[in-house]
Amino acid sequence: MRDLAYYDMRAFLSERQIGDTATFRLNELAEKWACSDKNVKRKLKKYQELEFCQYQPGRGRGNASQITFTQSFQSEIEDFIRTAVEQENLDKLLTLLQLDIPREWFSAVSSEMNELFGLHTEKGDQDILRLVIARPFSILDPLHTSINMESSLLLQLGDPLVRFDTMTNTVMPCIAHHWKRENNSTTWTFYIRKGIPFHHGRTLTSTDIRHTLEKAMQKGTVTHWYLRDITRIELPSENKITIHLRTPNPFFIRYLCLGNLVILPHDIPFDEYKWISTGAFKMTKRTSQKLILEAFDSHFLERPFLDRIEFWLVKDQANPAITVTNMGNPDNNDYTDHATRDYGVSIVTFNFKHCTFSHQPAFREAFYHLLDPQRMLHDLENHEETEASSYFFHKSSPQKRDSSKIEALLKAAQYNGETLQFAVLSHAKTIRQGHWIVEQAAKFGISLALRVIDLSSEFYQASQWEDVDIAMSADVPSTDIEIAFMDFYGNPNLAPQRFLAKKELQRIEELLHQARQCAEFSERDHFYDQIEDFVRDNHLLLFLEHLTKHQFIHATIKTEDKHVFGHLNLKKLWID
């Protein structure tokens, strides 16, 4: 088997290859391989000795060298994959998949590749599921996680005080087996199950719950705003905890269901690479390329049906995350495409904290009229998504646009073609839409400079957003869409808190506060509508589309849980 440096070279030289031959300079490969020119020559001579190629050095300093390959690149790739499958070498295989290689080349060996992914039963009846992700996991710290895929993992690794049942829309017992509220919903007492073990062996007590809540109450966390009404926490015993609030809040218990508030041990410093909690799965390995979870045999509720879950990184997939790869063979009948068509909403937001034109209602309205979601979906041949006019899928409907108003509105806003920074997140579809918006804006004299922000490494860095004028992003709900709606407007890492002016945020918070005082959904929903009317009437946010999430799930994967917002409950999967 050729080494990965060889395939990296072949991918790099493929576009300039004529027949079997390509020309290059030594310093190009030295940069590619991060080594000296001398080491490049050694590698090339070694490849020649192994009869992979013929290497002809350039004559004289700086002259191009020449290499002629003895086998087609595609056949080499197919041979590599078959050997990797035989050796079960996923690390090498997935490193290969990060290279710039045409995906259609994998179709000839897709069945071999799929042997390594999906479902397996190994020696000792170990049931293993290998999943594919298209980007590395970012932050897995519950106090700082705001991305849906990461948030869904928190509830596999840990358990909250109580849980929210999406089937019945009710709060159910979890770590707490019972609770009561008193004094007009300002006093909440929870009774804790006895004998709940952490992954490191110690038994959970009310001290761990207080520790978790106190950490989550600190400013700078994504959970701070949920818990800011807590005045004190009492521990009557190891299995009982009482939380006091400064104002009535019948909705408070719903916050405690969140994955961001899974209970962590007070005696172990948190390490997102060595997760310790009570969850049905425990983390056994995490690198930039893979994440491995194993069933926690002593989970206090129910052991998972599967023994191990493995996440493997394969960049440049069509979807952000898919359950089983099925790469190169989309017509394989063993896999069913489970599509979630209300998987969140994409929006455009104005940065009131940097862009002076954001404060001009006429400018925001002009942008509203040029940003026609129906036309964008048509032009980009995106027939799956639907136009959004609300955070909630069931409330959305097409909105009227009138491009004839744009010129007068821009004039009223005193906009004269200044270049504005327009940010999008690093997803292939989002980048395509970003280019479309830039081109559409240019037709009306609005100059936008497109900036791509990496979702895995740059999303949480405030400095990346400070000089952004306008941004397009998406919000994907958690399992509790009401909490997700509140989080969208209250989470410091999300667009409204990042970009809207204090006055507008204050009005939204007033309405959210009133909603939290209501015991019934119909009463709360009245305030949600007021928030969205306020946002739409003032063009503070521009809703674009509701997203569709695809998961290719093997026919032998079974679950009793419905698919909620594009993520399976890994604890409830089994093999038929």
Side-chain angles (χ1 to χ4, degrees):
M1 181 186 289
R2 293 150 173 79
D3 63 18
L4 288 165
Y6 173 84
Y7 295 106
D8 195 13
M9 174 186 68
R10 288 222 63 174
F12 174 66
L13 296 177
S14 60
E15 289 188 0
R16 65 178 75 176
Q17 189 171 319
I18 300 174
D20 297 324
T21 303
T23 57
F24 63 95
R25 285 184 167 80
L26 287 177
N27 65 324
E28 292 180 303
L29 288 185
E31 182 177 349
K32 170 63 64 176
W33 288 336
C35 65
S36 66
D37 288 359
K38 183 180 290 187
N39 282 333
V40 170
K41 291 178 182 178
R42 288 175 180 168
K43 277 181 175 288
L44 292 174
K45 288 179 179 178
K46 177 184 175 183
Y47 295 149
Q48 182 168 271
E49 291 169 2
L50 293 170
E51 299 183 353
F52 298 162
C53 62
Q54 290 294 322
Y55 164 54
Q56 180 65 47
R59 295 182 177 179
R61 182 181 294 273
N63 290 326
S65 300
Q66 191 175 85
I67 189 167
T68 300
F69 298 102
T70 58
Q71 188 178 350
S72 76
F73 191 20
Q74 183 172 353
S75 62
E76 287 179 340
I77 293 298
E78 292 173 2
D79 290 344
F80 180 97
I81 292 171
R82 290 191 179 98
T83 304
V85 170
E86 290 172 5
Q87 298 176 353
E88 294 196 0
N89 195 328
L90 271 76
D91 289 285
K92 282 191 174 181
L93 177 58
L94 294 183
T95 300
L96 178 77
L97 290 174
Q98 314 309 321
L99 301 180
D100 187 15
I101 298 170
R103 284 296 182 260
E104 58 267 22
W105 289 7
F106 298 108
S107 59
V109 288
S110 62
S111 59
E112 287 94 331
M113 290 177 66
N114 283 325
E115 288 179 15
L116 285 180
F117 295 95
L119 297 158
H120 298 265
T121 299
E122 296 190 351
K123 293 179 181 179
D125 285 336
Q126 285 278 304
D127 289 333
I128 297 168
L129 177 60
R130 291 183 178 132
L131 313 179
V132 175
I133 56 175
R135 64 168 177 81
F137 287 106
S138 58
I139 295 175
L140 286 179
D141 183 341
L143 301 186
H144 299 285
T145 298
S146 301
I147 301 175
N148 182 265
M149 183 167 74
E150 281 80 343
S151 296
S152 70
L153 268 185
L154 301 182
L155 290 171
Q156 310 297 319
L157 294 165
D159 299 287
L161 200 55
V162 286
R163 66 180 182 87
F164 185 71
D165 188 327
T166 57
M167 302 293 287
T168 61
N169 286 331
T170 55
V171 177
M172 304 292 288
C174 192
I175 283 177
H177 64 81
H178 185 71
W179 59 90
K180 63 181 179 181
R181 62 181 184 183
E182 301 171 293
N183 302 324
N184 194 22
S185 299
T186 60
T187 304
W188 295 79
T189 299
F190 296 87
Y191 300 87
I192 313 305
R193 298 176 193 265
K194 296 181 179 180
I196 295 178
F198 283 110
H199 296 153
H200 69 311
R202 185 175 60 74
T203 299
L204 179 147
T205 70
S206 57
T207 300
D208 300 299
I209 299 171
R210 181 173 64 182
H211 166 80
T212 298
L213 294 177
E214 287 178 345
K215 296 284 285 187
M217 290 165 59
Q218 295 175 4
K219 289 186 177 180
T221 66
V222 299
T223 47
H224 164 71
W225 77 273
Y226 294 123
L227 308 177
R228 59 190 175 189
D229 284 340
I230 295 178
T231 57
R232 70 183 190 279
I233 300 173
E234 296 177 346
L235 304 182
S237 72
E238 286 193 346
N239 300 108
K240 185 178 178 181
I241 183 169
T242 299
I243 303 170
H244 298 273
L245 309 181
R246 63 172 52 88
T247 59
N249 189 348
F251 201 70
F252 175 73
I253 194 170
R254 294 274 283 274
Y255 304 151
L256 302 180
C257 301
L258 290 170
N260 296 91
L261 292 175
V262 297
I263 305 305
L264 302 175
H266 75 273
D267 58 337
I268 301 290
F270 179 76
D271 184 340
E272 64 175 297
Y273 286 84
K274 298 177 182 179
W275 247 84
I276 301 294
S277 187
T278 63
F281 287 98
K282 54 185 178 180
M283 183 186 294
T284 58
K285 187 165 189 177
R286 182 188 176 191
T287 68
S288 60
Q289 193 173 35
K290 62 188 173 185
L291 173 68
I292 298 178
L293 310 180
E294 292 187 358
F296 183 39
D297 292 336
S298 301
H299 189 247
F300 68 97
L301 286 179
E302 185 178 33
R303 186 196 187 278
F305 303 128
L306 296 178
D307 298 295
R308 191 162 82 233
I309 308 284
E310 299 179 2
F311 295 88
W312 290 84
L313 176 66
V314 179
K315 291 182 179 177
D316 302 322
Q317 294 293 302
N319 302 301
I322 55 179
T323 299
V324 179
T325 169
N326 199 22
M327 286 177 291
N329 191 4
D331 297 324
N332 190 329
N333 292 327
D334 291 338
Y335 297 85
T336 302
D337 181 5
H338 290 257
T340 306
R341 300 200 178 277
D342 56 348
Y343 181 73
V345 63
S346 64
I347 57 166
V348 166
T349 319
F350 303 96
N351 186 357
F352 283 72
K353 299 170 184 177
H354 180 264
C355 179
T356 56
F357 296 107
S358 295
H359 297 271
Q360 298 292 334
F363 180 82
R364 301 196 303 271
E365 185 179 350
F367 216 87
Y368 165 81
H369 287 296
L370 74 84
L371 194 57
D372 186 340
Q374 298 257 19
R375 179 177 294 178
M376 180 179 72
L377 295 173
H378 176 271
D379 290 352
L380 297 179
E381 298 183 347
N382 187 347
H383 307 300
E384 291 188 317
E385 324 295 14
T386 57
E387 178 180 349
S389 61
S390 165
Y391 185 90
F392 301 101
F393 181 79
H394 67 280
K395 293 183 180 182
S396 284
S397 60
Q399 303 294 294
K400 184 178 179 181
R401 262 79 174 178
D402 186 352
S403 60
S404 67
K405 296 181 178 181
I406 296 175
E407 183 178 354
L409 287 166
L410 291 177
K411 186 176 181 179
Q414 298 183 326
Y415 174 78
N416 296 303
E418 292 86 346
T419 298
L420 304 175
Q421 295 293 313
F422 177 52
V424 300
L425 295 175
S426 56
H427 186 280
K429 175 192 166 187
T430 307
I431 294 171
R432 287 195 301 273
Q433 291 178 331
H435 284 295
W436 184 91
I437 292 172
V438 169
E439 293 173 6
Q440 185 72 5
K443 294 176 183 177
F444 298 94
I446 299 177
S447 176
L448 300 179
L450 188 66
R451 178 191 299 182
V452 178
I453 292 179
D454 188 85
L455 185 61
S456 300
S457 61
E458 298 175 329
F459 177 78
Y460 295 102
Q461 296 178 21
S463 59
Q464 294 291 329
W465 301 94
E466 287 174 354
D467 61 346
V468 166
D469 297 294
I470 305 170
M472 180 172 67
S473 59
D475 191 70
V476 180
S478 62
T479 53
D480 186 338
I481 195 165
E482 277 196 82
I483 289 291
F485 178 83
M486 293 184 177
D487 188 53
F488 176 64
Y489 287 104
N491 189 321
N493 288 317
L494 301 183
Q497 286 289 329
R498 265 183 171 151
F499 295 140
L500 293 183
K502 181 180 286 188
K503 179 181 177 182
E504 282 72 22
L505 286 174
Q506 185 175 358
R507 174 58 181 157
I508 291 170
E509 173 52 36
E510 288 171 357
L511 293 169
L512 285 176
H513 177 74
Q514 293 179 69
R516 289 192 289 267
Q517 311 308 304
C518 302
E520 300 298 326
F521 169 74
S522 59
E523 298 172 341
R524 295 192 298 272
D525 198 38
H526 169 71
F527 293 106
Y528 302 156
D529 287 341
Q530 287 190 53
I531 291 170
E532 296 213 302
D533 287 342
F534 175 63
V535 166
R536 275 192 300 263
D537 291 347
N538 293 280
H539 303 110
L540 302 177
L541 307 174
L542 304 182
F543 294 103
L544 283 179
E545 60 178 346
H546 290 289
L547 311 174
T548 299
K549 168 81 171 182
H550 290 276
Q551 288 184 304
F552 296 98
I553 301 175
H554 197 278
T556 57
I557 298 178
K558 304 298 180 183
T559 180
E560 63 188 44
D561 278 14
K562 68 176 184 178
H563 312 303
V564 180
F565 299 114
H567 290 284
L568 293 171
N569 182 357
L570 302 177
K571 293 180 283 191
K572 298 295 185 179
L573 299 182
W574 73 88
I575 299 173
D576 189 353

